[in-house]
Structure formats: structure tokens, C-alpha cells
Amino acid sequence: MNCEVCQLKELEVEHFEIREVLRCILHTIVFHRALGLVRPKDVDLELFEITYVQCGDVELEKKIDERIDHFISWVEKHPNKKSQICLSFYEVKSKQPSWFTNKTERLYWEQWYVNLNVTQHPKHHSSKSHHAKVVVDPGESATEDRSSRRAMVEASLREVLFQIIKFVNEKKDHVPPISDGVIYFPYEITIPSSSDSAFGMDMIKRMLHSGHPTMLS
Amino acid sequence: MEMDRESGKLEQIVSQFRSKILHVILNSRVPSLHHHYQQQEPLSLSRVRKSDKWFNLVLGDRAAALENLNFSLRNLLDPMIIDIILVHHSSCSSSVDNLYTPSAAVGSPSDETVIERWVVQYDCARVNATPNGADTSSSYKKTYKKSIILLRSLFAQMRLLPAYRIFRQLSSLSQTYNFDLVYKVSSFSHPFSREEEGAMKEYIFVPVEAFPGRLCVSVTYRTSLSEFNLEPLVSLPSNIITDYVGSPTTDPIRSFPSSEKGFQATSFSIRGARPPSPSPFQRPHSWSSGFHKGLPLMQNQSLAGSPPAYRTSPKPYDVVSPQSDIYGNRIRNRLPTLQQATAYDEYQLSPPFSASASPSPPAYLSGANPVVAHHCSETAPVTIPFPLTGRNSFYLSLNSSDPSRHSLPPLSPRSSKHDASSQESPSGIRSYRKLEALRAGESPSGLSINYSAHKMVRDTKDDSGRFSGLLSSSGSPRIGFSRSSSRLSFQDDMDDCEFSCPFDVDDIDVSDSPASQNVEGKKALDFTAQSVPVGKKSQDAAVGMLVHMLRTAPPLRQDPSCYSTHSSKTVGYEGGVGTASGFFMPCKTADALEELKSYREMRDLLLSKSGTRVVRKEEM
């Protein structure tokens, strides 16, 4: 089975917009891949005039929010960096257990890369705003600049949503069969590690092989 | 055999797919259907009906309109074309006349623009390669899975198209617009003009293979709707309905607001759904069951915009269903024709919309979704603003003079039906209990205010003529018997009752002669002095209630002593003849005559005590 990959258009967002943007994108993707029985739920974004659809599954919502929180924490430690969140759907295949491998294997059949460029944000807004309800960045920039910028972000976000719909429509053959009682396919959300991805992966591999603790930045 | 089974399953998938798409589209574009969906209690997925589980997308119960549409478009090979039309009503059409006479709406100027056209078609023109036996069994499963994905993407895309924003705005409960979103479903469609095509864009969903054909869905939509200036309607000069009768469940008029939404014009999508009626708001029946559902609409409508009678019940399609038949019929009839329908026909195809507020507004852009019609039958109290005309000023003065009379008694449908339709009324006992509730100040009804306004005016002018005025306004001699102790007990109880009985007592003792009026007035004054403070309106109401009670009371025994006892009770309260024996229909003529005789005796007794003998012409 092919693993279809979709690289979504990069979005330039401010820190306080991360949560809403990610919720919108991730839930939209999952909604299209939650092929079990769902009662769709419309959610209106607070910062933008966009309505997206959720599955209505509480557990799913919690998991996504949790991953978003982790991502925001990472962004706070790595400001002004382009970041990427990967939402992957996989199938669980059992295989012969061995000493070094598990008896199950994940076969990824679809991966979505959400590309964000988080612009610099004043530090005093970073600590709590993402935990609290979304607050409009008080900012000191001119109202016109803010509204035009907001409109651009909204238009870009809308484009990304259309991109998701287009991809979902064009690629259907690789989607596995729907299992009874399963609402959505198994998925995982990967956020960047605490360092650069390549460096982080190397460190993890080194730890596994050598067992030496390594300080990660 | 297996092929047949498979083809049967595919056919079922195609049929259900069309129904589901229609459901999705209309739920996302038609405010009334959307509200219906929102109002449904969110059941757990395990309790979802089988029919709603198709494509694993639970949308809730379908409105009756959708069912009829589905039925009328059963031919799977015909395309299903769903036009979402934005109707702009001109301001001059916001008059009362247009509401009362839907036919007039036909000619009212309005602009209609197709802002979206969805085409759902099972395309068999292109014959796909026949799948082999192994593939056949799984082909319908793949078709079903891909259909699910297509529906998901369609559902999400509907929220991204420009029309969705208008839909949300028009769904707002807090605002009323002079725009409506209506829909038209047919197998044919008039092609767009070149100009229209230039403003539109097409999106074609990737077809889903469904051997021997494929499911195709496309949408042509206007890319920009900014030219439609969707401004909320501001307060318009109201055209007061002088004899407006509100709902018995509404609260009394607490104020005469100038800041209320009540002066907004109504949405004219409602017009299209109102059944034509020459006089839909005839007063005695304005609280009848059919109309009652529509009453909450009055909340946000000007008095000029008298409430259309629907769109307020929790099940709007209860009201829609009549129209749905029309829709179904219309659609069937229109299948062979192009889009030549008049504007009125367009309205008829759309479920009724409402712009009135609801107690529970969900929020989007402007804050609320209008679920006008879909809200619970327990509607918010109606505040009916009254201009301070001469007639209504009386009510105002009454209100202001006596703070305790802050509420009007609810004029129950039964209690208010004191006219010739007495057979439909419940027993007098129930009416009496209703009056007790009225005394408690519960949800007084604006119903009676205007209705009896002119009577109130008369009452204020001449206290003595209060009852006479009331009595003389009705031609029914039966009501004359309301002057009895029963009535007095009503009046004792209805301290704050302020509505007048529209079924004025026509007391045989009361005549237009000045003498009689003076006598009556004196009695009335006495009554007023002696009774527990009862408003003038409460007396009228008491009269009506008493009449009703008496009429529906079971026949009494023919016991003269009973009459004399009652007559003694009535002494000193008021002139006129009354009997506490009740107002019943004698079984025999002899009984009736005897009854009449006893009444006469009582009358004479009362009059004699007043010092005046009134000679009245018997009308019985």
C-alpha cells in the first residue's frame, strides 16, 4: 500500500493563532479520515470567520489539544522557527516478535505535513495565552495592519482547508477498509523534537544503542 | 444472482447518497432546516436511527419537506439539481398587506439570485469495464467507502463556500434581514447567463465509481456575495394592528418598548409559506392551535408584521408539512418545465423562514441563529408595543394607575371563546380555574388588550355604563345571565384581571335608555365599591367567564329556592338579572320557559329594590 503524503501550504501565524489554526487543520483532516459513524460538529473559529467540522469525539479532541499544547511549548522554546507537525494514519500489522522489534508494526498509509512559520511574538504573551482562552493579541501594531494581516492568514487557512478537501477527493484508493465499530483510523501526531529533527533523531538513536543519557536542548 | 444482489446494493447506495447529499446541502443552507437539526437532542450514536446511519454521517431527522423531495426525485438517472437562491425583498414589500395576502407577494418586487447550484448525478453514460466476479463483491463496498469520503468533503466544503456566511447571518435570531435563502430542487435547471457564469466558479468533486456508472457531484457557486448588502433591518414604521390579539401564553405588556425588536419587519420568506387566508387573524381564533405555533414570531416583528403562523414550534416541519406537500407537488409538476416559476412559486418551494427571535440563540457572526420556528412552543413572552392611541391609552392609564395590575390575565383559548362556539369550550369549571390563574398574574395575555381596548375606553368614560357598554355590545341574550353571583365570585377572584370579555353580556335588563344606564351604572358603582378591587376589565372578563361557565354548567335542578338564594346574593352588587343557577340549555321548552320566568322574577326583584322597574322587551 502506498503512503500518500500531502504537504500543506505554509502558514505564517502568530503565537496566539497557533492553537486555533492547528485545531482547524488537524480536525478537518481527521474528520475526513473518521469514516466511522460520526455526528459532525460545526466549530466556529474565534479569530477567523471560518467554520470547520469536528467528529464530535471527545477523546480525539483531547488528544489533539494535548499535542497542540506540546507543540506550543516547543514553539516557545524555539521562537522564530519554521515548524512542522505531521499527522500520520497507519494500520497496525502484526509481525513476528523478536528481541529488537515489537510484534506489531505500523504501516503508514497517509501523512499530512502542516507547515507553520510562527512569527516573532513578544515574550509576555507567550507564557499563558495559549493555555487560556484565545485572546486577541492586544498588540501595538496599527489596526489596519492587523486586520489586513488577519485577512491574509484567514485566506491562507481557507486555502489550506480547500487543499485538504482536494487531496481527500483525489486520493481515495489508498484508504484502508473501514472496520466495524471504529470511528477513525489509528493516527499519530508528531511534533518537532526539542532540537532540530535530524539532530533529535540521531540523539534518540544514540540513546537507544548506547544507553547514555544525553542532554537535549 | 450475485450480480443482481450487488446491483441492488449499488442502487440502494446511489439512492441513499442522493438523499444524504440533499440533506447535507439543505441543512447547511436553509435556516429553518438547520434550526430543526440543532434543536434535536444529541442522542448517543447508538440510538441513531438506521436511516441516519447511511454513510456514517448522522444528520438528525429529516424534515418532512426533505422526505417529500426525496420521494419526488426517485428516478436515479435524473440529475438532482439543487439551487440555493438568495432572495432580496424590496423594502416596500414589508407591509402588513403583503403578509396577509400572500398573493400580493407575487407581484412584490424581489431579486432572486442563484448563488449556488449543486448537481448530483448518477452518470451511466460512460460504461465502465465490467468488474470480474471477485471485484464485484467488493465493488459496492469500495463505492460505499468512497461515497463516505465524498460526503465528508462535501460537508466540510459547504462551510467554506461564500454562501455559508449568508446562511449563518440569515439564521441569526437577533437580526432580521430583507434577504432570504430559498432552495429549489428539480431535475432541470435554467442555464446561467453569461454574466452569471462570469461571477461563478465551479468545483467538481472527484466522481465515485459505482458500477455501472459513477456518482458525480459538482457545485457552481458565486465567488463573491459582497454585492448583496446583507444589512439587518432597522426599525421601520410600524403599522399597528389595532385589534391585534396575541397569544394567551404571552406575558403581559410590561412596557411599550421603543428599543425592542418588535418594530422590525418580518422576513418575507415567511410569506411564501403562509397558507393563503383571507383573514388569518380573526380575533376569536387567533389563539387557535394552528396559529398559536406562529405566535412567538411576533416577538421580533412589528405590529405591522403580524406573525405568520408557523416557525415557532419545536417541530417546524409540523407546519412545513403542508407546504412540503406543496413542494413535492410543485416539484413534480415542474419537472417537465424549465425555471419559469414566478417568485411566489419560488417561495412556495422553500420552507418557511422566520426572523423572529428565540429565547435560545446560538451564536455565530451576529450572535444568534434564528430559529424562529423551531424553538420550543414555550416561547418568550411577547411584548407588543402599543402606540399611545386613545384606545390604548386607557390600558396604559389603567396600568399606571394601579401598579398591582401589572399583568393581564391569560386569555385562555377556552375561556375566550364565549361566542357562538360555546360548544367547543371546556366546562365552566375549567374556565373558572383559568380565571384563578389569571388572578395570580400569570402570563397575562396581550390577547385581550387590544381586543377590548375600545370597550375599555368606553368603560372609562362612563363607569356607570361599563357593564352596559359591554352588555350592549353583544347581541346574545344569554350573556345577560352572567350577572350573577357566579360572576361576582369571579370578580372577587380576579382582582387584577384586566381583560374584558369580548363576549359582551347582553343583559335583558340593560337597554340603551338613559334610565337603565343610570341604574346599571349605579349598580356598577356599587359593585365597584363593594367588591374586592376589581378592574373594569376584570369585570368584563368575569362576565365572559361567567357566561361561559354558566353555559357549560350542567343543568340545575328546577328548584325555585335555589334561585331566590342566588338572587339575594346578587342584590346590591349590580343591577340586571342574573342567575347563579348557571347558564344552561334547558332540555325542554317548558323548562326553558320556567327558567325564563324565574329570571324575570329575579330581575324584577332586583329592580324593585333599586327602586326602578325596568321594562324590557324580552327577546327570547
Side-chain angles (χ1 to χ4, degrees):
Chain A
M1 185 185 300
N2 294 335
C3 179
E4 297 288 346
V5 177
C6 180
Q7 289 278 354
L8 295 175
K9 179 188 167 188
E10 184 179 277
L11 288 172
E12 193 171 300
V13 297
E14 289 190 33
H15 190 277
F16 67 95
E17 294 169 335
I18 294 175
R19 182 177 296 278
E20 280 231 310
V21 166
L22 281 181
R23 269 190 188 152
C24 177
I25 294 174
L26 294 175
H27 275 288
T28 299
I29 296 171
V30 173
F31 174 69
H32 285 90
R33 291 294 177 248
L35 303 186
L37 186 64
V38 299
R39 184 191 298 273
K41 176 180 150 189
D42 291 336
V43 178
D44 300 329
L45 291 180
E46 294 180 19
L47 299 175
F48 310 104
E49 283 189 10
I50 291 176
T51 300
Y52 69 95
V53 188
Q54 288 186 5
C55 301
D57 185 80
V58 177
E59 282 304 313
L60 176 70
E61 199 172 339
K62 279 182 191 172
K63 284 184 186 173
I64 289 180
D65 281 346
E66 186 185 313
R67 299 307 290 163
I68 292 175
D69 287 339
H70 291 163
F71 176 76
I72 291 174
S73 301
W74 182 89
V75 168
E76 287 176 354
K77 294 175 186 172
H78 302 84
N80 267 346
K81 263 193 164 180
K82 292 189 179 183
S83 52
Q84 197 177 60
I85 293 181
C86 180
L87 172 57
S88 309
F89 294 96
Y90 60 88
E91 274 186 299
V92 178
K93 296 285 185 188
S94 60
K95 57 186 276 188
Q96 281 290 344
S98 66
W99 285 104
F100 301 104
T101 58
N102 296 329
K103 55 183 176 181
T104 60
E105 184 185 10
R106 290 182 176 183
L107 289 179
Y108 294 91
W109 52 270
E110 193 173 81
Q111 287 180 321
W112 299 80
Y113 288 94
V114 183
N115 298 296
L116 295 180
N117 184 14
V118 183
T119 55
Q120 190 171 8
H121 188 75
K123 263 200 168 176
H124 64 274
H125 289 292
S126 63
S127 57
K128 293 179 184 177
S129 62
H130 69 278
H131 287 297
K133 220 175 169 181
V134 174
V135 282
V136 179
D137 175 28
E140 290 140 4
S141 55
T143 309
E144 285 185 8
D145 291 341
R146 183 184 304 284
S147 59
S148 66
R149 191 206 147 269
R150 185 70 57 83
M152 280 175 52
V153 175
E154 183 178 316
S156 297
L157 180 56
R158 210 178 278 273
E159 277 183 44
V160 167
L161 297 178
F162 273 115
Q163 189 182 357
I164 294 171
I165 292 172
K166 185 169 178 286
F167 182 88
V168 164
N169 262 274
E170 289 174 352
K171 315 264 185 196
K172 295 193 189 85
D173 292 325
H174 65 290
V175 179
I178 306 167
S179 305
D180 289 336
V182 176
I183 296 178
Y184 45 84
F185 294 106
Y187 70 95
E188 81 180 5
I189 300 175
T190 310
I191 60 174
S193 60
S194 55
S195 58
D196 287 338
S197 58
F199 178 74
M201 285 304 297
D202 289 340
M203 295 304 297
I204 289 171
K205 283 179 186 172
R206 201 170 303 157
M207 284 172 63
L208 286 173
H209 287 294
S210 63
H212 290 174
T214 307
M215 291 296 293
L216 295 174
S217 61
Chain B
M1 285 291 290
E2 190 171 342
M3 288 287 289
D4 292 339
R5 203 164 40 239
E6 294 298 327
S7 69
K9 286 178 182 173
L10 272 172
E11 187 178 330
Q12 199 177 11
I13 289 173
V14 171
S15 172
Q16 291 294 334
F17 181 78
R18 285 158 61 99
S19 300
K20 202 75 173 185
I21 277 196
L22 182 64
H23 198 175
V24 167
I25 291 172
L26 296 186
N27 261 17
S28 307
R29 291 293 183 267
V30 178
S32 57
L33 296 176
H34 172 67
H35 299 320
H36 165 61
Y37 168 66
Q38 280 188 323
Q39 282 196 329
Q40 294 174 25
E41 290 184 9
L43 297 176
S44 65
L45 291 176
S46 59
R47 294 179 59 190
V48 174
R49 290 192 306 179
K50 268 190 178 178
S51 59
D52 210 9
K53 290 184 180 178
W54 274 97
F55 306 100
N56 289 339
L57 198 63
V58 178
L59 299 176
D61 295 338
R62 288 181 200 162
L66 289 179
E67 297 290 353
N68 289 331
L69 285 172
N70 284 333
F71 180 78
S72 63
L73 295 169
R74 281 290 180 192
N75 189 348
L76 300 181
L77 295 180
D78 286 341
M80 182 171 70
I81 301 173
I82 306 161
D83 281 345
I84 305 299
I85 304 166
L86 186 64
V87 181
H88 178 212
H89 303 283
S90 61
S91 57
C92 66
S93 59
S94 62
S95 64
V96 178
D97 293 337
N98 284 336
L99 290 174
Y100 279 103
T101 55
S103 57
V106 177
S108 63
S110 63
D111 297 325
E112 297 174 9
T113 308
V114 177
I115 58 174
E116 275 182 5
R117 174 170 288 168
W118 296 83
V119 179
V120 182
Q121 186 167 11
Y122 180 57
D123 183 13
C124 270
R126 178 186 133 181
V127 179
N128 296 333
T130 307
N132 56 34
D135 293 341
T136 304
S137 62
S138 61
S139 65
Y140 82 90
K141 290 181 184 174
K142 286 183 183 173
T143 300
Y144 188 64
K145 179 188 76 177
K146 292 179 181 179
S147 304
I148 292 174
I149 297 172
L150 193 155
L151 272 167
R152 294 279 197 274
S153 60
L154 185 144
F155 193 96
Q157 182 152 7
M158 292 215 71
R159 275 111 186 100
L160 299 176
L161 295 178
Y164 185 71
R165 183 176 177 178
I166 288 189
F167 159 74
R168 291 299 295 266
Q169 278 186 282
L170 292 177
S171 299
S172 168
L173 280 170
S174 62
Q175 299 288 352
T176 307
Y177 297 90
N178 59 346
F179 280 89
D180 282 322
L181 268 179
V182 301
Y183 69 91
K184 180 172 75 79
V185 183
S186 65
S187 300
F188 297 84
S189 66
H190 196 73
F192 291 119
S193 65
R194 197 168 283 185
E195 185 186 350
E196 285 173 328
E197 276 183 359
M200 303 185 93
K201 195 176 173 182
E202 187 181 25
Y203 181 84
I204 302 173
F205 291 83
V206 175
V208 172
E209 300 296 331
F211 180 78
R214 55 181 194 165
L215 288 166
C216 303
V217 180
S218 66
V219 57
T220 307
Y221 61 96
R222 289 186 79 99
T223 52
S224 172
L225 296 175
S226 55
E227 66 195 80
F228 301 99
N229 191 14
L230 219 68
E231 294 288 340
L233 292 174
V234 294
S235 298
L236 299 175
S238 60
N239 188 358
I240 303 300
I241 303 170
T242 54
D243 60 350
Y244 174 78
V245 181
S247 164
T249 62
T250 56
D251 277 353
I253 292 180
R254 299 192 196 88
S255 65
F256 297 87
S258 58
S259 60
E260 290 288 341
K261 305 179 272 258
F263 288 98
Q264 291 175 354
T266 59
S267 163
F268 289 96
S269 59
I270 297 169
R271 284 181 302 159
R274 284 194 66 239
S277 168
S279 52
F281 299 104
Q282 284 181 350
R283 199 182 313 141
H285 308 289
S286 60
W287 51 80
S288 57
S289 60
F291 179 68
H292 187 67
K293 290 176 185 177
L295 287 169
L297 282 175
M298 295 184 276
Q299 296 182 26
N300 282 339
Q301 298 175 355
S302 66
L303 292 182
S306 46
Y310 66 89
R311 278 293 147 246
T312 56
S313 67
K315 298 179 182 177
Y317 44 84
D318 286 342
V319 186
V320 172
S321 49
Q323 287 80 25
S324 63
D325 292 334
I326 297 173
Y327 301 154
N329 289 329
R330 284 185 177 274
I331 290 167
R332 285 193 287 272
N333 292 335
R334 292 179 62 182
L335 277 177
T337 64
L338 292 178
Q339 186 176 334
Q340 300 294 334
T342 61
Y344 184 64
D345 284 343
E346 295 292 342
Y347 298 143
Q348 288 296 327
L349 286 172
S350 308
F353 294 94
S354 166
S356 67
S358 149
S360 56
Y364 181 63
L365 296 170
S366 47
N369 285 328
V371 170
V372 180
H374 309 265
H375 280 46
C376 56
S377 56
E378 297 297 327
T379 59
V382 171
T383 301
I384 305 171
F386 286 86
L388 295 183
T389 62
R391 293 179 174 181
N392 292 327
S393 59
F394 170 74
Y395 176 77
L396 286 175
S397 63
L398 275 185
N399 271 331
S400 57
S401 61
D402 188 352
S404 66
R405 299 177 190 173
H406 60 278
S407 62
L408 292 174
L411 188 61
S412 69
R414 300 188 182 110
S415 63
S416 54
K417 287 187 178 178
H418 291 215
D419 59 358
S421 59
S422 61
Q423 292 80 0
E424 301 168 9
S425 306
S427 67
I429 296 175
R430 281 192 283 172
S431 303
Y432 179 68
R433 286 177 182 164
K434 189 68 178 179
L435 283 173
E436 286 184 327
L438 297 181
R439 178 181 65 152
E442 297 172 4
S443 60
S445 164
L447 183 72
S448 57
I449 299 172
N450 273 340
Y451 190 83
S452 58
H454 60 285
K455 298 184 180 58
M456 292 297 101
V457 173
R458 188 172 180 179
D459 289 340
T460 51
K461 287 179 181 175
D462 182 6
D463 217 13
S464 63
R466 174 170 60 243
F467 296 104
S468 62
L470 290 170
L471 294 175
S472 61
S473 63
S474 165
S476 169
R478 299 171 294 177
I479 307 173
F481 300 115
S482 65
R483 294 187 177 187
S484 66
S485 59
S486 301
R487 181 184 177 211
L488 299 172
S489 60
F490 274 131
Q491 288 162 341
D492 286 342
D493 292 330
M494 290 165 58
D495 296 341
D496 294 331
C497 288
E498 295 172 316
F499 67 92
S500 69
C501 172
F503 315 99
D504 292 328
V505 175
D506 184 13
D507 196 302
I508 56 174
D509 298 328
V510 179
S511 68
D512 292 333
S513 64
S516 63
Q517 284 184 354
N518 287 335
V519 170
E520 300 305 320
K522 187 177 177 185
K523 295 302 173 188
L525 284 172
D526 290 339
F527 171 78
T528 305
Q530 299 182 26
S531 66
V532 182
V534 175
K536 295 171 185 173
K537 295 176 187 172
S538 64
Q539 291 173 342
D540 300 327
V543 168
M545 293 305 298
L546 180 63
V547 165
H548 175 71
M549 190 189 78
L550 294 176
R551 286 171 64 187
T552 55
L556 295 175
R557 289 169 294 184
Q558 300 297 318
D559 186 2
S561 62
C562 178
Y563 298 141
S564 61
T565 305
H566 289 156
S567 63
S568 63
K569 286 181 182 176
T570 58
V571 167
Y573 280 95
E574 149 178 4
V577 174
T579 176
S581 64
F583 190 70
F584 63 96
M585 300 300 293
C587 303
K588 304 175 184 176
T589 306
D591 296 337
L593 290 174
E594 195 172 352
E595 185 79 12
L596 175 62
K597 188 180 174 186
S598 64
Y599 292 156
R600 284 184 182 174
E601 289 171 3
M602 290 176 64
R603 181 201 69 184
D604 292 340
L605 180 64
L606 291 170
L607 290 176
S608 64
K609 292 196 176 181
S610 68
T612 307
R613 280 195 72 83
V614 177
V615 178
R616 274 180 63 92
K617 190 165 60 173
E618 296 296 332
E619 294 183 1
M620 291 189 63

